[in-house]
Amino acid sequence: LLKQKANSSKESLSTCQTYTKKKHPPKAGKSQEAPAINGNGNVVKAKSTKKMDNGSVKDNPPLAKPKSKRVATDKNLNGTKSDGKGCKEKKKNGNILKEKGDIKHKRRKAEEHAEQQPKEAEIWFDDVDPKDIEAAIGPEAAKIARRNLGLETVQSKQSVEQVLVKEKASEGLTRAVAMDCEMVGVGPKGEDSIVARVSIVNQFGKCIYDKYVKPTEEVTDYRTAVSGIRPENINTGEDFKTVQKEVAEILNGRILVGHALRNDLKVLFLDHPKKKIRDTQRYKPFRQRVKNPWPSLKLLCERLLNVQVQTSEHCSV
């Protein structure tokens, strides 16, 4: 009877251990401590059953076979389950891999597109017409070149002042200054010229002097369509002698920049050292580029700066 009970308890233990050995090992041990009754009717403690169990295992080793079979079947069952999960995971992973591949493909395309576009560091030349750059390289390169030169773009047309004047620059006198004058006509047919307005800017484009001048003679032609001068402007203007003195003080010892400066200095009755004059009309490289021996300021600005000036009334500033 004891052997039969031991065998039955061992079989129950083998089935329990396959499922609960990992999760609850202590409970399997407690189940062995159940009291058993021997042939004489005495109660035997769990320790004797343990000894008998050990003995039975030693005496009957074939009893371990069903356990191994069940474990093997369980492993097979687990294997089939894991295979099923693996298939599902593989399918999911396949979709994920495809999505990742698409993302990588899109990213690679974007990187190639970014590499094709020229960078600002690559476009370093500053003496080439942006139109030529656009024809040779493309619109992106021309846009960068215009931005570096401070020129107007197709999308946002900037004013002449925004292009030529540096906003955060000094407003005082600099080593080089630029001057321009507006004139009105005097004489029988208005052929002779006298000064009506004088404007001076520093090398940053900041206006440091701008005054209207009272006429010293009777004006016969105001040339308003070109000069922008009207009678009310010069009638309340500054005295010529005062303007002449102030301009002479500003130009003293400085480099004078301008266009056809001989005409401006002539109407002011002033002179300036030839070595300190920078006349854009007499500069040979400009003449060669525009293929004109006496280029106008409008032509130079259009060809060299891509800026439209003197479209209506002129402004000396």
Side-chain angles (χ1 to χ4, degrees), residues 101-285:
D102 293 337
I103 292 166
K104 284 182 180 178
H105 184 63
K106 288 177 182 177
R107 194 178 296 164
R108 197 181 299 113
K109 272 190 174 181
E111 287 174 359
E112 288 174 1
H113 183 65
E115 287 176 1
Q116 288 174 1
Q117 292 180 353
K119 297 178 182 177
E120 289 193 9
E122 296 173 0
I123 300 169
W124 53 269
F125 35 77
D126 57 355
D127 58 344
V128 181
D129 191 353
K131 292 178 182 177
D132 297 336
I133 297 170
E134 187 172 359
I137 303 174
E140 292 295 326
K143 192 188 292 182
I144 294 168
R146 286 192 185 97
R147 194 185 308 136
N148 291 339
L149 292 170
L151 305 178
E152 59 182 359
T153 57
V154 179
Q155 287 86 1
S156 58
K157 290 187 176 182
Q158 296 176 334
S159 66
V160 177
E161 188 177 352
Q162 288 175 329
V163 173
L164 299 178
V165 181
K166 296 183 180 179
E167 292 181 0
K168 297 180 180 179
S170 172
E171 296 184 2
L173 284 168
T174 53
R175 183 169 167 266
V177 294
M179 183 178 71
D180 187 31
C181 297
E182 297 297 341
M183 298 119 179
V184 290
V186 293
K189 297 180 181 179
E191 293 177 353
D192 296 332
S193 299
I194 61 168
V195 64
R197 183 184 181 187
V198 183
S199 301
I200 302 175
V201 299
N202 63 11
Q203 66 185 35
F204 302 112
K206 299 280 187 178
C207 185
I208 55 175
Y209 190 87
D210 183 27
K211 285 188 177 182
Y212 289 100
V213 185
K214 277 183 181 180
T216 53
E217 299 179 38
E218 185 183 354
V219 179
T220 55
D221 187 3
Y222 284 93
R223 306 173 185 172
T224 306
V226 177
S227 65
I229 302 296
R230 291 169 175 80
E232 59 268 18
N233 298 137
I234 57 176
N235 290 339
T236 57
E238 189 72 58
D239 186 55
F240 173 76
K241 291 289 183 182
T242 306
V243 172
Q244 185 186 43
K245 185 181 178 182
E246 290 172 350
V247 171
E249 288 176 356
I250 292 170
L251 300 184
N252 186 24
R254 290 187 168 83
I255 293 170
L256 177 60
V257 183
H259 187 83
L261 283 169
R262 65 187 181 280
N263 298 327
D264 300 323
L265 293 171
K266 183 180 177 182
V267 294
L268 286 167
F269 296 99
L270 290 175
D271 194 9
H272 200 69
K274 192 175 180 181
K275 289 183 179 180
K276 289 187 177 291
I277 290 177
R278 306 288 184 268
D279 197 329
T280 54
Q281 192 182 50
R282 300 175 69 87
Y283 189 52
K284 286 183 181 179

Side-chain angles (χ1 to χ4, degrees), residues 89-100:
E89 285 177 0
K90 280 180 184 177
K91 287 178 183 177
K92 288 179 182 177
N93 290 334
N95 295 332
I96 291 164
L97 287 170
K98 283 181 182 178
E99 289 174 3
K100 285 182 179 178

Side-chain angles (χ1 to χ4, degrees), residues 13-26 28 67:
L13 280 171
S14 65
T15 56
C16 293
Q17 281 176 356
T18 55
Y19 295 99
T20 62
K21 189 176 180 182
K22 292 182 181 178
K23 294 182 180 178
H24 307 288
K67 180 183 176 181

